Amino acid sequence: MWMECKMATTGDEQKHFVLVHGACHGAWCWFKLKPLLEAAGHRVSAYDLSASGTNTKVIQDVATLADYSMPLLEFMATIPPEKKVVLVGHSLGGMNLALAMEKFPEKISIAVFLTAFMPDTVHTPSYVFDQDLELGKILIRPGSLFLKDLAAAQQFTKEKYGSVKQAYVICDEDKAIKEKFQRWMIEINPVVEVKKLNGVDHMPMLCDPKQLSVCLLDIAHKYA
């Protein structure tokens, strides 16, 4: 289902958004979006992943995707069984989402891939990088794609990762993960809804946080 984001949704029950940054960034990158979601009455959490933002680890000491994702996974483990969150992952953060979905599918109402790498349940987790490795080399500092780890890992499962509702947000002016590549990932891993942000580049939370907040609120209203 393809839709553009036009109207904000207000007045629905409080949701808990968990925002996951991309490579070389940190929780700081959500500083424009976070207050907009909170102003709409929702709870928002954003954490620095390992060796990111203010996290004290260095990337050379982070060997696997699980190590890199540890702050997110530790937080997910604290969520009570009766609660669910809306996970939002940007760029490489899509892989952190996938790992959290595989480990905690029952705690996620919907996972939103925001112009992000999105794996499927058929190929190894490294498959999307194999198709776009040159892009990855440009985007990410050495060692942080965890290609060796992901190439050896088992594919994400239909029973866990695949059981979580997923949405994808395309940015039409993204020059890093281009729209054609985003659409290809959606083809191999269909989602419940695809939305498109207009006039937005690879960093929608910075260049147009209002349009992004409208988009996320609408997804959360429908599926969370």
Side-chain angles (χ1 to χ4, degrees), residues 32-41 209-211 213 217:
K32 291 184 177 181
L33 177 67
K34 187 173 184 286
L36 295 176
L37 297 177
E38 291 174 333
K210 290 185 178 180
Q211 186 180 179
S213 69
L217 289 172

Side-chain angles (χ1 to χ4, degrees), residues 120-165:
D120 60 17
T121 59
V122 177
H123 305 90
T124 62
S126 65
Y127 183 66
V128 290
F129 294 132
D130 295 339
Q131 309 307 306
D132 203 20
L133 183 55
E134 290 306 312
L135 167 64
K137 288 178 179 177
I138 294 171
L139 278 177
I140 316 300
R141 54 186 172 179
S144 62
L145 275 178
F146 311 107
L147 289 178
K148 185 179 294 186
D149 172 49
L150 294 177
Q154 293 292 319
Q155 66 262 39
F156 295 106
T157 65
K158 292 182 180 179
E159 294 77 16
K160 294 181 179 179
Y161 170 82
S163 70
V164 180
K165 292 192 295 289

Side-chain angles (χ1 to χ4, degrees), residues 60-113:
Q60 290 79 7
D61 295 332
V62 182
T64 67
L65 180 66
D67 292 339
Y68 177 58
S69 306
M70 193 54 64
L72 172 63
L73 300 180
E74 290 176 343
F75 167 73
M76 293 296 297
T78 69
I79 297 173
E82 70 277 7
K83 299 292 185 180
K84 291 192 175 187
V85 300
V86 178
L87 272 185
V88 181
H90 171 247
S91 194
L92 183 65
M95 300 305 294
N96 306 111
L97 255 64
L99 194 58
M101 291 160 68
E102 184 70 18
K103 290 182 176 294
F104 305 101
E106 73 286 352
K107 296 184 177 183
I108 305 164
S109 56
I110 188 164
V112 183
F113 290 81

